[in-house]
Amino acid sequence: EEKLRPRILEANRKELFDTAVYEEMGDLGFLGCTLKEYDLPGISSVAYGLINKELEAVDASYRTCLSVQSSLVMYPIYTYASQAVKDHWIPKLATGKTIGAFGLTEPNHGSNPGGMETTAKDKGDHFLLNGSKTWISSSPVADVFVIWAKDDNKDIRGFVVDRSMGGIETPKIEGKFSVRASITGMIQMDDVKVPKENMLDVKG
């Protein structure tokens, strides 16, 4: 903790974010550490909670990096994605060299899924995603997004969206009053073409 103190103080004062934090966590085996495949540790939820507690004692910004990457990005991919999608993303996310973000919260409805306005239109062999998410941890630097959207039947579905698919903008939210060493932004989607196989096998 003492070693990290000067680094975190400077980051909070200047609202700086260092993506190397993710790689350090990957090197320590923290990212996705409750998962049991892909050479991940498979530790208990209690042990994972204790790791988060210690990072939170340094700063909530660092705990955010760990918990979003592990619980909100890796876990749903691991649990609900196709084998090919899992095989592609989980090992990369575990290293911290690839960063993920979780897209639920929206400008007009917060984290209330019932009011969700983001849509996923079925186009045969793919979906077209349109909408906006906001207050999304790590979105400006993320490579992959777990996006929640309403399909043609108004069911909420999850999608694994690669930034390289195009049609994605992730502006940073400036001037936060807290958690300033964790970068936060929006996810703006304009006809993002997502393959059918990238839809998660879950709905609500």
Side-chain angles (χ1 to χ4, degrees):
E1 185 176 341
E2 289 302 317
K3 182 180 177 182
L4 288 170
R5 190 177 303 278
R7 178 177 174 184
I8 198 69
L9 287 175
E10 185 74 2
N12 273 285
R13 285 176 182 142
K14 297 183 179 179
E15 201 173 345
L16 301 174
F17 180 70
D18 184 1
T19 56
V21 169
Y22 280 99
E23 293 188 44
E24 291 173 22
M25 291 181 186
D27 289 342
L28 291 167
F30 289 172
L31 300 175
C33 57
T34 60
L35 307 183
K36 295 180 180 179
E37 296 178 59
Y38 304 100
D39 294 323
L40 294 170
I43 65 172
S44 70
S45 295
V46 172
Y48 173 56
L50 291 171
I51 294 170
N52 277 276
K53 179 178 181 291
E54 292 304 313
L55 283 170
E56 184 81 21
V58 177
D59 194 273
S61 300
Y62 289 173
R63 192 274 310 150
T64 296
C65 295
L66 172 60
S67 60
V68 170
Q69 183 94 341
S70 299
S71 299
L72 297 183
V73 178
M74 295 178 72
Y75 178 79
I77 292 174
Y78 177 82
T79 308
Y80 300 114
S82 68
Q83 192 64 49
V85 171
K86 285 169 58 175
D87 290 347
H88 179 78
W89 287 113
I90 295 295
K92 292 182 177 182
L93 289 161
T95 67
K97 294 177 181 177
T98 294
I99 296 173
F102 180 85
L104 172 67
T105 305
E106 295 191 353
N108 295 326
H109 302 280
S111 297
N112 171 23
M116 187 176 293
E117 296 179 22
T118 300
T119 60
K121 297 292 183 184
D122 191 338
K123 295 296 181 179
D125 65 343
H126 67 278
F127 287 91
L128 281 183
L129 268 60
N130 284 280
S132 295
K133 306 293 182 177
T134 195
W135 290 108
I136 308 301
S137 296
S138 299
S139 71
V141 295
D143 305 288
V144 62
F145 309 89
V146 173
I147 298 290
W148 300 93
K150 284 186 177 178
D151 65 13
D152 294 329
N153 298 318
K154 305 302 181 184
D155 287 322
I156 296 173
R157 307 301 302 253
F159 299 86
V160 180
V161 180
D162 186 334
R163 183 184 288 275
S164 67
M165 290 173 180
I168 301 170
E169 298 289 338
T170 55
K172 178 185 176 184
I173 295 173
E174 303 279 0
K176 292 192 297 179
F177 286 168
S178 61
V179 199
R180 288 168 56 84
S182 168
I183 193 168
T184 304
M186 299 185 71
I187 306 172
Q188 299 170 338
M189 295 162 286
D190 182 13
D191 281 347
V192 180
K193 187 176 180 180
V194 182
K196 280 283 181 74
E197 57 266 29
N198 281 43
M199 183 171 70
L200 300 179
D201 187 19
V202 63
K203 69 178 179 179

